[in-house]
């Protein structure tokens, strides 16, 4: 497709999405690692991702953590060092603006970087936990994550117990509260924005299907096609989140 045609198509899609959001009584966003790429945090998959360097079998499973916490902490330290100093980008800010304008009810995020809250979003459901807190595996004491606490790995609690991040490892259940809230939101929304997720990590990948089955329109924002594209999504904008979301916000501002 020629560039000019592509841009016209995208412009038409942005207007269509703004119209859907305007007419919707409840719009929900589901976000994945892609929305944080423009903040300098790469997705785990792909050539620059953590999984290219660390085999997820050895580093991402809860059993692997308990077997060798010091080893898994090497990978966690690398990830946290990036997350601690990252800042929200225009995509995160745009979603916070949509909430502020009354157009977005909640964000269900698979991310563990806290960037939606840093951008000002208030109603954020963290499906896979977050990295802001470290928990003691012995006494459940909580510590805020900062560069000092992860200087020596594995970091330890005052009681001597090893600390873990408050994230969901593979092999662990999704926090009950997040699960219930996410599914309830998916069932009652009439528009779902699916942003920057490859939609292959279950059970998060089922959330757009639940929304669709309940009658919601699914809007996908992702530079690459996913299993949702053409099958589940009513419309896909093949663009970066940081470019697309501010355009939707501007379009909605024009019309209000
Ligand atoms: P994923 O790595 O499977 O997929 C990322 C998706 O983002 C891809 O489809 C890619 O095409 C798209 N993408 C890349 N750049 C984009 C951009 N600028 N704008 C919009 N989309 C873009 O990510 P996932 O589906 O979220 O699943 C990976 C798992 O790893 C999740 O469970 C998540 O918790 C975790 N993770 C979190 C972070 C974080 O907190 N920032 C980072 C990496 C991985
Ligand atoms: Zn402890």
């Amino acid at each position: 497709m020629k560039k000019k045609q592509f841009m016209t198509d995208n412009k038409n899609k942005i207007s269509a999405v703004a119209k859907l959001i305007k007419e919707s009584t409840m719009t929900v966003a589901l976000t994945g690692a892609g929305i944080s790429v423009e903040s300098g945090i790469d997705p785990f998959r792909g050539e620059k991702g953590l999984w290219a360097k660390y085999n997820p079998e050895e580093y991402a499973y809860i059993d692997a953590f308990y077997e060798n916490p010091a080893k898994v902490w090497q990978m966690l330290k690398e990830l946290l060092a990036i997350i601690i100093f990252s800042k929200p980008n225009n995509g995160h800010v745009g979603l916070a603006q949509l909430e502020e304008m009354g157009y977005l009810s909640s964000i269900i995020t698979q991310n563990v970087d806290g960037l939606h809250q840093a951008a000002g979003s208030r109603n954020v459901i963290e499906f896979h936990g977050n990295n802001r807190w470290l928990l003691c595996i012995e006494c459940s004491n909580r510590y805020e994550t900062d560069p000092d606490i992860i200087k020596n790995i594995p970091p330890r609690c005052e009681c001597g117990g090893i600390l873990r991040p408050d994230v969901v490892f593979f092999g662990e259940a999704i926090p009950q509260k997040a699960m219930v809230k996410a599914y309830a939101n998916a069932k009652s929304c009439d528009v779902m924005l699916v942003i920057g997720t490859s939609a292959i990590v279950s059970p998060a990948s089922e959330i757009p299907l639940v929304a669709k089955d309940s009658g919601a329109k699914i809007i996908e924002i992702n530079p690459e096609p996913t299993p949702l594209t053409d099958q589940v999504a009513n419309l896909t904008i093949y663009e970066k989140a940081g470019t697309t979301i501010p355009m939707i916000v501007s379009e909605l501002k024009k019309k209000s």
Side-chain angles (χ1 to χ4, degrees):
M1 194 187 294
K2 290 206 178 86
K3 198 173 173 204
K4 199 169 165 202
Q5 170 73 37
F6 179 72
M7 280 161 67
T8 313
D9 280 0
N10 263 3
K11 221 171 144 219
N12 291 341
K13 285 181 183 175
I14 300 280
S15 310
V17 172
K19 187 165 182 283
L20 279 173
I21 292 177
K22 197 143 198 222
E23 289 167 1
S24 150
T25 50
M26 182 174 173
T27 297
V28 167
L30 170 69
T31 64
I35 196 168
S36 295
V37 167
E38 291 159 88
S39 292
I41 310 171
D42 286 315
F44 291 162
R45 290 176 189 79
E47 51 189 62
K48 284 197 280 170
L50 275 184
W51 297 157
K53 189 165 163 192
Y54 298 103
N55 176 0
E57 300 283 330
E58 290 172 49
Y59 289 91
Y61 282 82
I62 190 62
D63 290 351
F65 181 82
Y66 278 106
E67 237 164 66
N68 194 343
K71 178 178 169 182
V72 172
W73 260 107
Q74 285 170 26
M75 180 271 288
L76 291 172
K77 186 172 176 169
E78 189 170 327
L79 177 65
L80 286 181
I82 299 167
I83 286 180
I84 286 172
F85 296 109
S86 63
K87 298 265 181 304
N89 63 55
N90 290 339
H92 299 105
V93 172
L95 288 184
Q97 287 172 325
L98 285 182
E99 185 185 29
E100 183 69 29
M101 289 158 76
Y103 287 126
L104 188 68
S105 297
S106 65
I107 298 172
I108 304 163
T109 189
Q110 298 166 80
N111 296 343
V112 290
D113 53 30
L115 290 181
H116 286 303
Q117 292 91 331
S121 289
R122 286 182 296 256
N123 198 2
V124 182
I125 302 164
E126 292 180 315
F127 208 69
H128 292 156
N130 67 73
N131 266 314
R132 283 186 308 283
W133 296 98
L134 303 180
L135 309 178
C136 173
I137 62 174
E138 303 294 339
C139 73
S140 300
N141 222 342
R142 283 155 67 88
Y143 296 82
E144 207 158 340
T145 309
D146 68 38
D148 281 341
I149 204 164
I150 56 169
K151 235 181 219 157
N152 298 314
I153 53 172
R156 287 186 186 268
C157 174
E158 280 171 2
C159 80
I162 287 171
L163 301 178
R164 59 163 289 174
D166 193 10
V167 299
V168 178
F169 282 86
F170 283 126
E172 287 190 299
I174 305 298
Q176 173 81 357
K177 244 172 134 178
M179 186 83 166
V180 170
K181 261 178 113 177
Y183 274 73
N185 279 241
K187 278 184 187 154
S188 35
C189 69
D190 36 31
V191 173
M192 178 171 276
L193 307 173
V194 182
I195 308 165
T197 176
S198 59
I200 52 177
V201 181
S202 176
S205 56
E206 283 147 31
I207 294 172
L209 309 180
V210 171
K212 177 94 178 180
D213 280 351
S214 308
K217 293 266 190 304
I218 310 296
I219 313 297
E220 194 181 34
I221 301 171
N222 196 317
E224 303 291 334
T226 74
L228 299 178
T229 314
D230 298 331
Q231 307 293 323
V232 178
N234 297 82
L235 192 154
T236 298
I237 300 179
Y238 294 104
E239 248 302 347
K240 292 179 179 173
T243 314
T244 309
I245 301 166
M247 286 168 81
I248 297 172
V249 173
S250 302
E251 189 71 16
L252 281 162
K253 277 189 180 158
K254 249 197 264 168
K255 296 190 173 189
S256 57

